Amino acid sequence: MKATALPALALLLALGACDERPASSPAPTKPEATAASSEVKNAGFEQLSAQMVDDLWKLFPSWAVSEGYYAVADQLQVPDDNYRKQVLDFVKQYRGLFRKIDASQLDSGASSDLSMIRNYLDRLQWQIEKFKAYQWNPAEYNVSATFALILNTDYAPLDERLRTFSRRMEKVPAYYEAAEQSLRTPASPQLVLAIKQNEGALSVFGQELEDKLAASGLSKDEKTKFTQRLIATREAIEDYITFLQTRHAELEKTQKYKNFRIGEKLYEEKFKYDIQIGMGARELYERALKEKARLHDKMTELADKLWPKYFPDQQPPEDRLERISAMLEKLSLHHATKESFKADVEKQIPELAAFVTEHNLLSLDAEKPLVVRTTPPYMRGFAVASINAPGPYDKGANTYFNVMPIADFSDEEAESFLREYNSYLMQILCIHEAIPGHYTQLVYANRSPSLIKSILGNGAMIEGWAVYAERMMLEAGYGDFSPELWLMYYKWNLRTVTNTILDYEIQVKGIDEQRAMELMVKDAFQQKAEAMGKWRRATLSQVQLTSYFAGFADILALREEVKQKLGDKFDLKAFHEKFLSYGSAPIPVIRKLMLEDLPKSQ
Ligand code: ZN
Ligand code: ZN
């Protein structure tokens, strides 16, 4: 599981980890449903959802491989009109079949699965009929990632994987032919990305692969066939790049690109399907604006309080944003060294666990240790730190906490990196990624394993929980209410809030790069390089950047609601454990189940 810099689709697809479907069902939520009848009702649902997943993997073999399901790894779907019709038929067929299931008779695990399936089917139809990225996003077409996974994942002996690889290559020319046929006018950032990424794709089909083939145990005939397909694959990718470059040259002249900004209507719809919280995109945006003002007030207060301690001989600047910025820069000097960075992170994990336990925030599972390692080479280049959990078909594998290797950085690079990821910020990042953030949430989700929640896990719930964990830990006294830690936390939290504002203003209100940079650098104290990267990401994806604040805001609202309902009986630990017990479902689904369960649980 990758946590920070993920495109929307990958996020939806990649998060989560659990085993097979549960053999026995959790306790029924409806008092009138006897255990026996609930199991029978669930059984019908479980069977149907298993059948749906089987069909899903046939339609989306690349997705299947990314989840660790290799039975379809030799398949490649050709993205033409006929294929899209098959997907729509799949939607209609399963929508009908699931309509016959009586949701009120299912236990909470199954009924939340069902609501996620329904949303997924609606979303799939909307993507093809309304959003139509297949017509304007040429970066959707790239075969390399799945081939790389087959080649680099040790799920079977290399000879067998090479045979799979060979069969999968058979349809690559047809695949790119269909891509060219499907595309209408592309959007500019997506076109530039597609050229770059498909150029990168060629490296998967390069000399290293030929060497592996030569050294393999494949027969002479197999090798000949493999080589023929390999040549055709390279040609198909090169042709597609040429096709895109030609389009690019034309469009640079006419500037008649499709607008990458999707506008209000599509944005609200995408938000509804992808985020699934108890409010719309516009309402969340307005909430983010208010939160930003509140954070600026809090930060001013803290910066003014800290000023005499750090700048005893210096007058503070008039402008409050400048004061905050100067204080943040000063605090950034408090950081690890190149050599100590990984060890510092390692040391923090047990400290966080001890704090959570001592302060009665959650029960932690001591039997599922988290292994800290430097990020392996093929995963580098995205996040400073991330959690890598085993997929749904990969029982019992370790969960890793990947930390960016910085020992090889030049002194200058390392200094700038370490200031950004200073000692204060690293504590917050470890809370977010590990304990009690993403890692802890996954451990809980795995206790009621659901394949549906693993493959369709809700991004706003997952990210929202990690962002919520940061606030909750500091409120509980982590860091002894140090104003330095709080100020740095607010900067970090402001980034989350700003992501929401930025995404909405770019995609719906149409602001330009200059205004976006101002929003990030001046108002949110971000480094210029980071802000430029974020601008690019916000032109390539839509809505996903809001998931962090969306989930955070919705979880806080739910906590308030439960507090109101329970009064003196409210217990934070019980709230957390109950909330996490439903798995990575959308927060409104959790809310409904949780409120039904309340009188019994607390
Ligand atoms: Zn995260
Ligand atoms: Zn330094």
Side-chain angles (χ1 to χ4, degrees):
M1 183 183 98
K2 306 125 218 172
T4 29
L6 273 187
L9 184 68
L11 186 87
L12 273 159
L13 307 190
L15 295 171
C18 51
D19 298 330
E20 322 278 51
R21 192 166 310 287
S24 62
S25 322
T29 51
K30 294 275 166 190
E32 68 273 16
T34 67
S37 78
S38 162
E39 261 166 39
V40 171
K41 298 281 183 185
N42 266 358
F45 168 76
E46 300 287 338
Q47 202 183 4
L48 186 57
S49 81
Q51 182 194 326
M52 186 199 76
V53 172
D54 268 358
D55 285 343
L56 193 64
W57 292 157
K58 283 177 203 143
L59 278 176
F60 300 98
S62 304
W63 177 10
V65 170
S66 75
E67 297 284 353
Y69 182 77
Y70 295 100
V72 292
D74 63 347
Q75 304 291 311
L76 179 68
Q77 288 284 3
V78 173
D80 55 12
D81 284 341
N82 181 43
Y83 170 66
R84 285 183 285 274
K85 189 181 168 297
Q86 275 180 51
V87 175
L88 289 173
D89 288 345
F90 165 87
V91 167
K92 276 162 208 158
Q93 182 200 349
Y94 278 100
R95 198 184 274 145
L97 290 170
F98 279 109
R99 201 172 283 138
K100 291 180 191 144
I101 302 256
D102 180 1
S104 69
Q105 295 300 309
L106 299 175
D107 69 36
S108 64
S111 85
S112 50
D113 276 6
L114 176 60
S115 81
M116 291 171 80
I117 289 171
R118 285 186 173 143
N119 179 72
Y120 174 70
L121 295 173
D122 291 349
R123 180 174 179 270
L124 208 49
Q125 181 176 7
W126 174 84
Q127 282 175 329
I128 293 177
E129 291 180 347
K130 298 277 165 57
F131 197 59
K132 299 185 180 176
Y134 66 90
Q135 290 184 353
W136 57 266
N137 181 4
E140 282 214 336
Y141 305 108
N142 188 332
V143 295
S144 64
T146 313
F147 280 106
L149 276 175
I150 294 169
L151 207 56
N152 299 322
T153 315
D154 225 1
Y155 69 92
L158 181 61
D159 285 0
E160 197 183 307
R161 285 184 280 130
L162 284 171
R163 289 187 184 101
T164 301
F165 197 103
S166 182
R167 285 195 298 275
R168 192 166 206 276
M169 280 194 293
E170 209 180 342
K171 281 192 186 160
V172 172
Y175 175 97
Y176 280 107
E177 193 55 46
E180 292 184 19
Q181 295 288 331
S182 300
L183 279 168
R184 303 283 179 270
T185 310
S188 168
Q190 281 76 6
L191 179 55
V192 172
L193 180 73
I195 293 172
K196 220 172 117 190
Q197 287 188 337
N198 274 285
E199 281 168 353
L202 283 169
S203 69
V204 177
F205 304 94
Q207 189 59 47
E208 209 182 309
L209 176 61
E210 284 187 58
D211 294 346
K212 274 188 179 166
L213 178 68
S216 76
L218 267 60
S219 73
K220 198 162 166 287
D221 281 357
E222 285 175 319
K223 284 182 180 172
T224 308
K225 191 154 233 169
F226 192 106
T227 307
Q228 283 166 355
R229 288 170 176 166
L230 181 58
I231 291 167
T233 293
R234 285 183 195 146
E235 271 176 17
I237 297 173
E238 280 161 2
D239 280 354
Y240 185 58
I241 296 169
T242 308
F243 167 82
L244 294 177
Q245 281 167 339
T246 309
R247 289 295 275 141
H248 188 237
E250 287 164 15
L251 285 162
E252 277 301 292
K253 270 189 226 132
T254 61
Q255 286 296 313
K256 285 188 174 148
Y257 287 109
K258 185 201 168 289
N259 193 348
F260 70 81
R261 297 174 170 88
I262 65 174
E264 187 168 10
K265 185 169 180 293
L266 284 176
Y267 193 90
E268 285 288 351
E269 288 171 1
K270 193 168 199 290
F271 187 88
K272 186 183 78 179
Y273 291 124
D274 292 1
I275 300 294
Q276 296 179 267
I277 55 165
M279 67 189 101
R282 187 181 174 85
E283 195 183 338
L284 183 75
Y285 165 68
E286 276 159 8
R287 215 184 247 227
L289 289 178
K290 279 198 198 113
E291 187 61 15
K292 175 180 160 182
R294 208 185 68 88
L295 288 174
H296 276 168
D297 289 348
K298 293 267 180 197
M299 292 175 90
T300 307
E301 217 174 276
L302 289 170
D304 289 348
K305 185 173 164 188
L306 287 167
W307 191 271
K309 180 174 166 190
Y310 288 88
F311 300 99
D313 312 316
Q314 219 174 304
Q315 274 295 21
E318 276 294 310
D319 184 309
R320 68 175 189 156
L321 295 185
E322 279 174 38
R323 294 203 295 281
I324 296 170
S325 176
M327 252 336 293
L328 286 168
E329 248 166 68
K330 191 79 177 177
L331 296 181
S332 301
L333 301 178
H334 189 56
H335 60 69
T337 65
K338 251 201 309 199
E339 292 72 28
S340 74
F341 186 67
K342 181 178 167 242
D344 284 4
V345 169
E346 232 159 352
K347 203 173 81 206
Q348 223 152 77
I349 305 300
E351 285 173 14
L352 289 169
F355 184 89
V356 167
T357 305
E358 276 160 27
H359 290 75
N360 248 323
L361 301 173
L362 265 167
S363 314
L364 297 175
D365 190 341
E367 278 167 36
K368 303 253 162 57
L370 181 61
V371 185
V372 181
R373 66 172 180 188
T374 50
T375 314
Y378 65 94
M379 292 175 65
R380 284 177 198 170
F382 299 105
V384 175
S386 61
I387 291 289
N388 196 218
Y393 296 98
D394 196 7
K395 279 184 183 178
N398 279 332
T399 300
Y400 293 101
F401 187 27
N402 300 317
V403 182
M404 190 183 270
I406 61 163
D408 302 338
F409 281 19
S410 72
D411 286 350
E412 203 186 332
E413 271 176 334
E415 177 64 21
S416 135
F417 174 89
L418 290 165
R419 281 188 190 185
E420 176 100 40
Y421 294 94
N422 56 71
S423 307
Y424 302 110
L425 196 68
M426 280 313 289
Q427 297 180 57
I428 296 159
L429 195 58
C430 288
I431 294 174
H432 179 106
E433 297 294 339
I435 296 172
H438 287 314
Y439 165 66
T440 303
Q441 191 259 320
L442 275 167
V443 172
Y444 271 82
N446 286 348
R447 285 192 192 154
S448 53
S450 143
L451 187 56
I452 293 299
K453 287 193 185 73
S454 176
I455 64 174
L456 303 179
N458 177 265
M461 184 276 176
I462 292 166
E463 284 307 337
W465 171 261
V467 175
Y468 166 78
E470 301 160 6
R471 170 74 58 93
M472 183 269 286
M473 287 288 276
L474 262 65
E475 282 176 350
Y478 180 78
D480 280 332
F481 302 98
S482 132
E484 285 91 344
L485 184 61
W486 270 96
L487 182 57
M488 199 58 78
Y489 161 73
Y490 280 136
K491 179 196 161 176
W492 180 250
N493 193 241
L494 182 58
R495 185 163 96 162
T496 301
V497 172
T498 302
N499 281 346
T500 293
I501 297 172
L502 186 74
D503 199 57
Y504 192 85
E505 292 198 354
I506 291 174
Q507 294 290 336
V508 177
K509 298 171 92 85
I511 62 165
D512 62 9
E513 184 170 359
Q514 198 195 337
R515 167 78 190 117
M517 290 299 285
E518 225 176 82
L519 203 63
M520 289 183 277
V521 174
K522 190 170 148 284
D523 294 6
F525 317 103
Q526 294 178 12
Q527 298 298 315
K528 210 174 161 206
E530 185 201 343
M532 280 163 68
K534 190 61 68 61
W535 159 260
R536 206 171 145 260
R537 183 174 160 195
T539 63
L540 289 168
S541 74
Q542 319 81 19
V543 170
Q544 196 271 332
L545 278 172
T546 69
S547 62
Y548 309 82
F549 180 61
F552 172 64
D554 224 27
I555 294 172
L556 277 183
L558 176 58
R559 188 176 78 178
E560 270 320 295
E561 188 179 359
V562 174
K563 246 185 200 169
Q564 291 293 327
K565 284 221 156 69
L566 292 177
D568 289 350
K569 287 194 194 117
F570 177 82
D571 178 76
L572 192 60
K573 187 180 184 195
F575 170 79
H576 291 152
E577 292 178 354
K578 194 80 197 161
F579 179 82
L580 292 180
S581 72
Y582 302 103
S584 313
I587 299 161
V589 172
I590 296 178
R591 176 181 173 274
K592 183 173 164 280
L593 296 169
M594 208 170 169
L595 294 180
E596 282 170 6
D597 270 1
L598 266 193
K600 277 180 288 164
S601 67
Q602 305 202 339

